[in-house]
Amino acid sequence: MARLARLSLGGELHLILQRGNNAQPVFQDDADRTSYLEKLAASAPACGLAVHAYALLPNQVHLLATPASADSLSQCMQTLGRSYVASFNRRHGRTGTLWEGRFRATVVEADRHFLDALVYVDTAAERAGLGAAWPWSSTAHHRGQRRDPLVSEHRAFWALGNTPFDREAAYQALLARGLSAAQVEQFSQAQHKGWVLGSPAFLAAMAQRTERPLAPRPRGRPRKAAPAADALPPDGEQSEN
């Protein structure tokens, strides 16, 4: 089966995953993590990518972002990936690939799923056993514990309240509530497989912008249509053929 082309649509929210090759670590220490964030902060605005959330885990990176154009996401991730790998290899005296092939991404309906997607990314370190206070994510920014210049706040986050305090308090409540296991699985599957996450109306609208399949086809053979009523013989009569 041919590999599904990555979907990238300008102006739409994207959930992104970048993983280490063979699950190997992509960060050895805080200097590596600082380097990655500095390179992301430089490449994102240059390519037209607004980063709303991030989480740097030992062997992977989660991002929530909106590209300005269809090419913005790929341009940013390619620039970032090459630059970071070159500096990582120099610093640690190694050669060869670091990332597991191409990054993974999916389009998410912002009006329906932004806040849950934000919680999904901001709690990625906690799910990985690194603790809720893991400093290498955007969680502290959204909690109001620090200002992170990398983060571009989405309109859905601003809708949480009229003041920064209101927004931060409302988001803290969302973090405390957390996501269900089903929600985590939903985001994880969408992120890994590249299927669009949204309502039927949203999928229909996105289908007008791309020929790429947006959701998996139903499994099994389609059901045969029932014969038309006027094709059936009248009750009690047999067909002559």
Side-chain angles (χ1 to χ4, degrees):
M1 180 183 296
R3 184 170 64 175
L4 190 68
R6 187 192 302 114
L7 180 64
S8 180
L9 298 174
E12 301 298 336
L13 184 67
H14 290 64
L15 186 60
I16 303 146
L17 176 66
Q18 195 175 27
R19 300 195 297 191
N21 189 43
N22 292 324
Q24 69 183 22
V26 294
F27 305 108
Q28 297 287 352
D29 51 30
D30 287 352
D32 286 341
R33 288 181 272 268
T34 297
S35 173
Y36 183 93
L37 292 179
E38 288 176 347
K39 295 179 188 308
L40 177 58
S43 61
C47 298
L49 185 70
V51 178
H52 309 303
Y54 66 87
L56 309 188
L57 308 187
N59 64 354
Q60 60 187 241
V61 177
H62 294 266
L63 298 172
L64 188 65
T66 301
S69 69
D71 297 329
S72 297
L73 179 57
S74 291
Q75 289 176 353
C76 178
M77 298 306 291
Q78 288 171 7
T79 299
L80 169 65
R82 287 195 296 264
S83 177
Y84 178 71
V85 170
S87 65
F88 183 92
N89 284 352
R90 285 196 304 270
R91 185 165 184 266
H92 297 291
R94 67 183 298 278
T95 60
T97 185
L98 180 65
W99 303 112
E100 181 191 64
R102 64 178 191 168
F103 66 92
R104 297 171 183 265
T106 191
V107 173
V108 177
E109 183 178 3
D111 291 343
R112 190 181 184 97
H113 292 296
F114 176 81
L115 291 174
D116 285 339
L118 186 61
V119 172
Y120 175 79
V121 173
D122 275 350
T123 56
E126 187 173 0
R127 291 194 304 276
L130 299 171
W134 179 248
W136 300 99
S137 77
S138 54
T139 312
H141 172 91
H142 294 120
R143 283 176 166 166
Q145 296 169 337
R146 72 164 188 259
R147 300 304 300 170
D148 193 330
L150 173 59
V151 176
S152 176
E153 292 177 352
H154 193 274
R155 66 181 185 277
F157 183 78
W158 277 72
L160 287 174
N162 293 325
T163 68
F165 178 81
D166 291 339
R167 292 190 288 273
E168 292 153 7
Y171 186 62
Q172 183 63 39
L174 292 176
L175 286 174
R177 184 193 69 189
L179 301 177
S180 68
Q183 287 176 303
V184 170
E185 180 66 13
Q186 181 184 42
F187 282 113
S188 177
Q189 288 296 312
Q191 190 178 41
H192 280 79
K193 297 182 178 180
W195 300 120
V196 173
L197 185 58
S199 64
F202 181 76
L203 266 67
M206 296 302 100
Q208 300 301 312
R209 300 176 57 183
T210 178
E211 295 181 355
R212 175 195 181 274
L214 303 181
R217 294 185 177 91
R219 292 184 177 181
R221 296 180 179 179
R223 293 182 178 180
K224 294 182 178 180
D230 59 0
L232 298 175
D235 290 345
E237 293 185 12
Q238 300 292 324
S239 170
E240 295 181 356
N241 294 326

